[in-house]
Amino acid sequence: MHAILDEGYVCHLGFVRDGAPVVLPTLYGRVGETLYVHGSTGSRPLRMTGQADPGLPVCLTVTHVDGLVLARSAFHHSINYRSVVVHGTAYDVTDPQEKLAALDALVDHVVPGRAADSRPANKKELAATAVIRLDLNEVSAKTRTGGVNEEPEDLALPHWAGVVPLRKGYDAPLPDEFLAPGTALPDYLAVP
Amino acid sequence: MHAILDEGYVCHLGFVRDGAPVVLPTLYGRVGETLYVHGSTGSRPLRMTGQADPGLPVCLTVTHVDGLVLARSAFHHSINYRSVVVHGTAYDVTDPQEKLAALDALVDHVVPGRAADSRPANKKELAATAVIRLDLNEVSAKTRTGGVNEEPEDLALPHWAGVVPLRKGYDAPLPDEFLAPGTALPDYLAVP
């Protein structure tokens, strides 16, 4: 489950507002058995939490689509995927040390090794960032891998069938035009 | 918004169960101003709906992560993304013609043109498939594009900054080992 969580770029965070469900994409990071989600202090899920508040019930889901499964029958079309669903209560992070560690985790989640190679947040930036924590207590994973399932009598049909693997990873990084002279592409961004 | 919706493979469907949020990844398709979501008749969100039922309040979100935005400052790290959030009430699809059209849309959503090149669902398969509809009435989109935002005083820092574009599309399709003799890869799967 850690591996599935660590591979995602965004999670989908669900909560209830006025009795209705809300699902928003957001960045996240993991430290041990805790996930951290951040946003501006004015953003929706975060401004519903707060020190005095009993916490916000959430559902946080991370999904990777790995391949398209094309069967001869419309019914057996599917996708190969890996997903993790976390249920729990999210709490505001108020301890400054925990908040700094959470922000490092959020940056390192996007690109491992990046937090140490960037200018850390200053007091003003820290104050402008709300972070909530969600412990990994109630967690489930669901995956589909492998090839096509098919009714035996469909095997002779003339339709192509198989798995279409989705591309992963990234293309060549595009440097900012104002890079300081001599700034090389860091090793952690080398395209494999 | 249609373009963002049409490009996704899975959506994240949120609903409320016993007062708590639930967010599940699921396949979907679009016909005009209506989204269709399917699953087995035993699956969770779907068995909460039904003909006699007043519908299920849902939030359906589709997100594409296009690039990683690496700023010199940890604070300005971000991602380029496009997302659409649909709020509304989902209803069971009971009309057989609408259900068939919805299933075609679901298959064509995974690979455009595929529904016509597969064996249509039979009565038993149709009965085993639950489909819910969600009209596109309350829809919002949010995107981030472009380069790095940076504090002017950070520009001289020696950290690499820029945008890392994520790979899109798919790699070479992997044919099922039991393809009928002479079955060629269809044009709609040619790797560009």
Side-chain angles (χ1 to χ4, degrees), chain A residues 4-17:
Chain A
I4 294 173
L5 288 169
D6 292 352
E7 194 180 317
Y9 290 115
V10 297
C11 65
H12 281 82
L13 183 72
F15 55 98
V16 180
R17 189 182 56 206

Side-chain angles (χ1 to χ4, degrees), chain B:
Chain B
M1 294 194 192
H2 286 176
I4 294 173
L5 288 170
D6 292 352
E7 194 181 319
Y9 291 115
V10 298
C11 65
H12 281 82
L13 183 71
F15 56 98
V16 180
R17 189 183 58 206
D18 301 332
V22 179
V23 178
L24 298 178
T26 184
L27 292 169
Y28 66 103
R30 182 178 69 82
V31 177
E33 296 298 322
T34 300
L35 294 182
Y36 292 97
V37 176
H38 88 138
S40 82
T41 45
S43 78
R44 233 153 31 187
L46 299 169
R47 77 176 177 231
M48 296 178 69
T49 63
Q51 205 168 359
D53 148 335
L56 179 71
V58 297
C59 179
L60 185 155
T61 301
V62 173
T63 305
H64 307 291
V65 180
D66 296 322
L68 314 176
V69 182
L70 275 60
R72 296 158 183 84
S73 62
F75 183 75
H76 283 296
H77 277 65
S78 187
I79 56 166
N80 282 337
Y81 71 100
R82 292 162 293 144
S83 70
V84 166
V85 176
V86 184
H87 290 275
T89 303
Y91 297 95
D92 225 18
V93 173
T94 52
D95 177 71
Q97 286 309 109
E98 183 180 8
K99 201 172 184 178
L100 267 174
L103 292 177
D104 277 356
L106 279 153
V107 169
D108 277 337
H109 185 86
V110 174
V111 179
R114 177 67 184 178
D117 186 21
S118 57
R119 196 258 297 152
N122 58 34
K123 279 190 180 172
K124 189 181 145 200
E125 291 168 343
L126 271 182
T129 308
V131 177
I132 56 177
R133 62 175 289 154
L134 172 64
D135 288 332
L136 292 172
N137 290 324
E138 193 184 339
V139 187
S140 58
K142 210 172 158 193
T143 64
R144 187 202 190 280
T145 58
V148 176
N149 292 331
E150 204 84 77
E151 303 300 326
E153 62 270 28
D154 287 336
L155 288 178
L157 291 176
H159 307 301
W160 189 91
V163 174
V164 181
L166 295 193
R167 299 179 78 203
K168 302 281 180 178
Y170 51 82
D171 292 318
L174 309 167
D176 182 50
E177 58 181 321
F178 302 111
L179 280 192
T183 304
L185 188 73
D187 287 343
Y188 55 74
L189 286 179
V191 176

